[in-house]
Amino acid sequence: MPSPQEQNPQDVPAPTGPQTLTARGLLLDMDGTLVNSDAVVERIWRAWCAENGLDAEEVLRVAHGRQGHATMAAVLPGRPDEVNQAENRAMLEQETRDVDGVVPVPGAPAFMAAIENLPHALVTSADVALATARMAAAGLRMPVVRVTAECVSASKPDPEGFLKGAAELGFAPADCVAFEDSGAGIAAALAAGMRVVGVGPRAAEYGPTVHVDDLERLRVEPLADGGLRLHLAG
């Protein structure tokens, strides 16, 4: 029988009861984790799918958590990367202008207030302009430390972004807890060697360390050594 370390995380159902995690730093995804931008994401990608003759439901299953060009490469294999990059730039500009329906995930404002003076970083597949627009539209404070699309050479599920976020905070990956909602994001954080709080309806099936419906039943306890303890209820 494999040990817990040898088990595939996706084969282990995420615990849903009360959980406690201790960490030195937190790494936070944005879309689906802090900000509900599903309305915009679906509008943009459904239009792109219609232009390219693709099934929108299939594409949306891949799109969450990834940079746009990585999604395009996944659903249109063999397509020139320069075409994907150009369309991704155009899509980012469109998404940045369209904030209709962008709202905070329940509990996100209180959570961001609770960790304001604790070590944390944003790790998002959005670029700086899009991240700034969506955090502002949701009324959320932008973390000082952030790893955006411009900072990495590979999109989630590659762990590069989370590893950079941990390094920026000055902590080992094992001392950090990541918050994520998507399969690509959860895979990236686990590959980086972090524990993962899966947030929202998409997250549970991808094997996070613990799953919560949203951020409402989450309490942050600062510790005397500068770290923190998370009290989570599924």
Side-chain angles (χ1 to χ4, degrees), residues 8-9 31 63 74 83 87 92 99 114 120 130 135 138 169:
N8 183 334
D31 291 303
V83 175
E87 290 191 6
L92 284 170
V99 293
H120 66 282
L130 179 57
M135 292 290 280
L169 294 179

Side-chain angles (χ1 to χ4, degrees), residues 17-215:
Q19 299 286 313
T20 300
L21 297 175
T22 302
R24 302 292 297 172
L26 302 178
L27 300 176
L28 315 173
D29 174 53
M30 180 181 70
D31 291 303
T33 301
L34 299 175
V35 173
N36 183 343
S37 56
D38 282 1
V40 181
V41 171
E42 293 207 4
R43 277 198 299 273
I44 300 293
W45 278 105
R46 286 185 187 280
W48 183 85
C49 288
E51 293 171 3
N52 289 277
L54 297 172
D55 183 324
E57 299 306 323
E58 293 296 325
V59 172
L60 284 167
R61 273 192 278 272
V62 176
H64 289 292
R66 301 174 191 262
Q67 292 184 36
H69 65 84
T71 297
M72 294 171 191
V75 300
L76 290 174
R79 194 176 196 231
D81 182 60
E82 58 268 25
V83 175
N84 293 338
Q85 293 287 351
E87 290 191 6
N88 183 52
R89 287 191 293 272
M91 185 177 285
L92 284 170
E93 291 175 1
Q94 187 178 0
E95 288 183 291
T96 301
R97 293 192 301 269
D98 184 356
V99 293
D100 186 26
V102 174
V103 296
V105 166
F111 174 59
M112 293 300 288
I115 66 171
E116 184 169 6
N117 297 317
L118 296 172
H120 66 282
L122 191 73
V123 180
T124 175
S125 293
D127 64 6
V128 170
L130 179 57
T132 301
R134 285 189 176 165
M135 292 290 280
L140 297 176
R141 169 186 56 81
M142 175 67 83
V144 174
V145 180
R146 47 190 178 264
V147 179
T148 58
E150 298 95 335
C151 303
V152 297
S153 60
S155 171
K156 299 172 185 177
D158 190 282
E160 181 184 359
F162 283 110
L163 292 172
K164 284 196 170 185
E168 287 285 328
L169 294 179
F171 302 127
D175 291 329
C176 297
V177 169
F179 282 69
E180 265 287 359
D181 74 301
S182 70
I186 291 168
L190 290 173
M194 299 171 183
R195 292 155 294 158
V196 184
V197 176
V199 181
R202 283 188 292 268
E205 65 183 287
Y206 297 110
T209 308
V210 63
H211 173 255
V212 294
D213 293 331
D214 52 39
L215 301 174

